[in-house]
């Protein structure tokens, strides 16, 4: 008995040590995302854009909360929500029933989108900037319905072996038709929503479900290409959802302005304490449907054992705590400084400082996104090392830097509209999808969502909105939104161009090998 107790303590200690190691790894990933932004802010504060001391202190405290909250949140995702996603996928596929598959995909797609923090951040910004004209809960609900529908389409595509490029072309063809009848305000918000929905909660859930659904295919071995594309297809549902709501709102343009920061009107401790209760309530409301769904699924034959349920519930609890802390830091001062820097740089005689900072924000933040590293490793692995992850990182880094640069440029230069980027950009993406393999077409679609992470949805978007608020010829809504859309579009084209280069390289190698064989035969 004594030896058994000792072994239990040793197992528990080893598990705790493993958890601490994972937690530290998550912390390092988050620090890599946040520290470049902090460095840029401090350099600008000491040089060309000095900040009010209160705003700077609120930003530094907010940055610490963002690091702590996002670390705990990502750790909780690994411990709780990702296992729940895998479990839900197994339960659905075990039924081998189309009605159950469709119903479950619709419900889970809605719930996981409803719980996505990036979406809530964007919806809050839309609600504040429009003065409540476009309520954040209406937006979150519309986007979540769209995600649920298109995620179901993505799952059915896997079962019926439909080419991802065909679904991609059909989805964006529908979006183009709806855009003809929508005003520019809702177009910008709709395309931003597509990038904001594919975050830390939705991506692992969708991938887990996609792998499970692939197992239902009985006619052939599932290819690697089926693992990609679901995220990209699902994100089109966000655009469709907002555009349809926009049609119901009518053609009247939305009016609004950047809200005043609370840090300017109350003590710092009150800035954070005043938001704590509201954010906790909203976070609980977001995660509750997933928790209830998980507990209901325990009636299935595949139900988890008690210790697994406890571990999953602990992970959900950590996700909740991390989400509250993260949102507290974002709302307390983090985003306000982004907007303030954009405003100050837009006042300069030259537009070069604002454009340079916009490019640097894109280059630095995308390289630190954990999901980007996962994608680059996948590309290198599935191409057998022919396409190096360093090359993919370079493509994505320059692409996202260029995207935020173009977002700032369209605000600073009158006459450049969002559709001038999105229409030819997505048209090129659709055309290129027919010249690359299914594998690269799927990876490219997913890359757009992967590149637009928490830092893009918070600081970079606030920075661009600050520029829009200062430029006389710009509109905070029409021009202030749309940046995430461009960030989500450019990586699609970048990965597809990589696919074209990869296929050209493969054809060249094949031709060289054929020439060698023919030469050897003649000898």
């Amino acid at each position: 008995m004594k030896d058994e107790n000792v072994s239990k303590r040793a197992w528990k200690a080893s598990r705790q040590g493993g958890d601490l190691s994972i937690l530290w790894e998550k912390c390092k990933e988050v620090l890599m995302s946040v520290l470049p932004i902090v460095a840029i802010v401090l350099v600008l504060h000491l040089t060309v854009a000095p900040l009010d001391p209160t705003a700077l202190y609120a930003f530094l405290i907010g940055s610490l909360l963002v690091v702590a909250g996002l670390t705990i949140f990502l750790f909780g995702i690994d411990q709780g929500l990702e296992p729940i996603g895998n479990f839900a996928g197994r339960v659905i596929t075990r039924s081998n029933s189309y009605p159950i598959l469709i119903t479950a995909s619709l419900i889970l797609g809605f719930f996981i989108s409803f719980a996505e923090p990036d979406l809530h951040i964007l919806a809050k910004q839309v609600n504040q900037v429009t003065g409540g004209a476009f309520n954040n809960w209406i937006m979150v609900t519309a986007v979540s319905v769209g995600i649920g529908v298109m995620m179901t389409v993505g799952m059915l595509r896997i079962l019926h072996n439909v080419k991802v490029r065909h679904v991609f072309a059909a989805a964006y063809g529908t979006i183009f038709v709806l855009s003809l009848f929508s005003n520019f305000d809702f177009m910008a918000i709709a395309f931003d929503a597509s990038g904001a929905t594919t975050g830390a909660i939705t991506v692992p859930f969708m991938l887990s479900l996609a792998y499970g659904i692939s197992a239902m295919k009985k006619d052939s071995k599932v290819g690697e290409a089926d693992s990609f594309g679901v995220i990209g297809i699902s994100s089109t549902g966000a655009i469709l959802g907002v555009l349809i709501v926009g049609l119901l709102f009518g053609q009247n343009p939305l009016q609004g302005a950047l809200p005043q920061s609370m840090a300017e009107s109350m003590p710092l401790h009150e800035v954070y304490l005043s938001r704590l209760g509201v954010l906790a309530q909203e976070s609980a409301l977001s995660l509750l449907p997933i928790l209830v769904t998980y507990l209901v699924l325990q009636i299935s034959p595949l139900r988890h054992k008690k210790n697994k349920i406890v571990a999953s519930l602990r992970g959900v609890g950590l996700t909740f705590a991390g989400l509250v802390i993260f949102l507290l830091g974002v709302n307390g001062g983090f985003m306000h400084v982004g907007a303030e820097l954009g405003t100050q740089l837009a006042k300069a005689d030259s537009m070069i400082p604002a454009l340079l900072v916009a490019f640097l924000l894109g280059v630095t933040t995308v390289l630190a996104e954990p999901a980007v590293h996962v994608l680059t490793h996948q590309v290198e692995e599935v191409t057998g090392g022919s396409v190096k992850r360093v090359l993919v990182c370079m493509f994505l880094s320059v692409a996202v830097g260029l995207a935020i640069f173009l977002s700032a440029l369209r605000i600073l230069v009158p006459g450049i509209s969002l559709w001038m980027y999105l229409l030819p950009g997505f048209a090129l993406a659709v055309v290129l999808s027919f010249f690359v393999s299914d594998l690269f077409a799927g990876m490219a679609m997913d890359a757009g969502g992967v590149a637009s992470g928490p830092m893009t949805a918070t600081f970079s978007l606030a920075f661009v909105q600050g520029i829009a608020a200062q430029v006389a010829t710009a509109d905070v809504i029409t021009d202030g939104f749309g940046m995430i859309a461009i960030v989500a579009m450019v990586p699609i084209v970048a990965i597809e161009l990589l696919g074209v280069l990869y296929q050209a390289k493969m054809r060249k190698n094949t031709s060289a090998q054929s020439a060698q064989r023919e030469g050897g035969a003649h000898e």
Side-chain angles (χ1 to χ4, degrees):
M1 179 65 72
K2 183 177 179 181
D3 291 340
E4 184 179 344
N5 290 336
V6 171
S7 64
K8 284 183 178 180
R9 286 198 298 269
W11 175 82
K12 187 175 181 180
S14 65
R15 179 176 177 179
Q16 290 174 342
D19 286 350
L20 289 174
S21 175
I22 296 171
L23 190 64
W24 173 238
E25 288 300 317
K26 296 294 181 187
C27 184
K28 288 194 292 186
E29 289 177 356
V30 175
L31 281 171
M32 287 178 62
S33 295
V34 178
L35 286 180
I37 293 178
V38 174
I40 290 172
V41 169
L42 292 177
V43 169
L44 292 174
H45 169 68
L46 296 172
T47 54
V48 296
L51 296 167
D52 178 78
T54 304
L56 180 63
Y57 297 147
F59 167 76
L60 294 175
I61 294 172
S63 299
L64 291 175
L65 291 173
V66 165
V67 170
L70 203 51
T71 299
I72 298 170
F73 175 79
L74 293 174
F75 182 71
I77 290 289
D78 282 354
Q79 299 292 306
L81 292 192
E82 194 165 343
I84 290 174
N86 283 315
F87 170 69
R90 291 199 306 272
V91 172
I92 294 169
T93 54
R94 184 181 176 87
S95 67
N96 282 324
S97 167
Y98 271 84
I100 292 177
L101 163 65
I102 293 172
T103 303
S105 293
L106 286 170
I107 294 173
L108 287 172
F110 178 87
F111 284 164
I112 60 178
S113 174
F114 198 84
E116 182 57 53
D118 287 0
L119 174 59
H120 283 272
I121 291 169
L122 177 63
K124 279 281 188 67
Q125 288 174 295
V126 172
N127 182 63
Q128 291 174 353
V129 170
T130 62
F134 192 5
N135 182 270
N136 55 304
W137 290 112
I138 294 177
M139 179 176 170
V140 169
T141 302
V143 169
S144 299
V145 170
I147 291 290
V149 171
M150 292 308 295
M151 190 182 86
T152 304
V153 171
M155 299 302 176
L156 292 175
R157 177 200 72 81
I158 294 174
L159 289 177
H160 290 282
N161 297 313
V162 178
K163 298 288 186 183
V164 67
R165 60 176 66 92
H166 295 154
V167 180
F168 190 38
Y172 277 99
T174 306
I175 288 168
F176 173 72
V177 173
L178 287 176
S179 298
L180 296 177
F181 302 95
S182 301
N183 66 49
F184 289 118
D185 296 345
F186 280 97
M187 277 185 60
I189 295 170
F191 278 90
D192 272 357
S194 71
T197 49
T198 47
I201 289 181
T202 52
V203 169
F205 250 91
M206 286 180 186
L207 291 178
S208 299
L209 288 171
Y211 282 126
I213 299 301
S214 298
M216 291 180 66
K217 295 172 66 173
K218 297 182 174 62
D219 56 342
S220 63
K221 185 178 179 181
V222 178
E224 288 175 323
D226 282 339
S227 303
F228 301 97
V230 172
I231 297 170
I233 293 171
S234 300
S235 65
T236 62
I239 305 175
L240 293 168
V242 175
L243 288 179
I244 291 171
V245 169
L247 293 176
L248 297 176
F249 268 67
Q251 292 297 316
N252 294 327
L254 297 170
Q255 301 292 332
L258 285 182
Q260 184 185 24
S261 171
M262 292 186 297
E264 298 176 355
S265 56
M266 63 176 66
L268 278 180
H269 68 280
E270 291 185 19
V271 170
Y272 293 100
L273 291 178
S274 63
R275 299 291 300 160
L276 183 59
V278 175
L279 292 174
Q281 183 180 356
E282 292 177 352
S283 300
L285 184 62
S286 298
L287 293 172
L288 184 61
I290 292 178
L291 181 60
V292 171
T293 302
Y294 172 63
L295 294 176
V296 169
L297 289 176
Q298 296 308 314
I299 63 175
S300 74
L302 295 175
R303 60 182 174 272
H304 281 160
K305 293 181 179 179
K306 184 178 179 181
N307 62 336
K308 186 73 173 178
I309 294 175
V310 171
S312 297
L313 293 178
R314 185 188 68 159
V316 173
L318 288 170
T319 302
F320 167 74
L323 183 56
V324 173
I325 297 170
F326 169 70
L327 293 175
L328 195 63
V330 165
N331 286 275
F334 195 76
M335 286 195 299
H336 170 68
V337 165
E340 179 64 24
L341 287 177
T343 301
Q344 290 203 37
L345 291 175
K347 293 178 182 177
D349 296 332
S350 170
M351 64 175 68
I352 292 177
L355 294 175
L356 180 60
V357 171
F359 182 77
L360 288 175
L361 282 175
V363 169
T364 55
T365 54
V366 72
L367 286 178
E369 290 289 352
V372 168
H373 290 279
V374 173
L375 179 70
T376 55
H377 278 295
Q378 286 178 322
V379 173
E380 185 174 65
E381 183 179 340
V382 299
T383 59
S386 298
V387 179
K388 301 296 183 183
R389 64 179 301 269
V390 175
L391 181 63
V392 182
C393 282
M394 288 174 57
F395 264 68
L396 287 177
S397 177
V398 174
V400 176
L402 181 63
I404 301 181
F405 173 90
L406 291 173
S407 299
L409 183 66
R410 80 179 178 94
I411 297 170
L412 293 167
V413 178
I416 301 179
S417 299
L418 181 62
W419 69 266
M420 296 179 182
Y421 292 150
L422 297 185
L423 183 59
F426 278 110
L428 177 61
V430 171
V431 171
L432 284 174
S433 70
F434 286 87
F435 292 90
V436 297
S437 65
D438 290 341
L439 177 65
F440 271 96
M443 284 192 299
M445 290 182 65
D446 290 349
V450 163
S452 51
M455 296 304 105
T456 302
T458 56
F459 192 88
S460 298
L461 180 58
F463 175 79
V464 171
Q465 288 179 337
I467 296 176
Q470 179 60 34
V471 176
T473 56
D475 180 79
V476 176
I477 298 174
T478 305
D479 300 305
F481 292 103
M483 186 213 73
I484 299 177
I486 302 172
V487 170
M489 176 195 71
V490 178
I492 298 176
V493 177
I495 296 298
E496 286 178 335
L497 289 174
L498 261 183
V500 172
L501 294 175
Y502 170 72
Q503 289 181 188
K505 182 178 180 180
M506 290 297 99
R507 283 195 295 268
K508 183 178 180 181
N509 291 342
T510 302
S511 299
Q513 291 172 0
S514 298
Q516 286 180 346
R517 284 195 297 268
E518 290 177 3
H522 287 306
E523 290 177 3

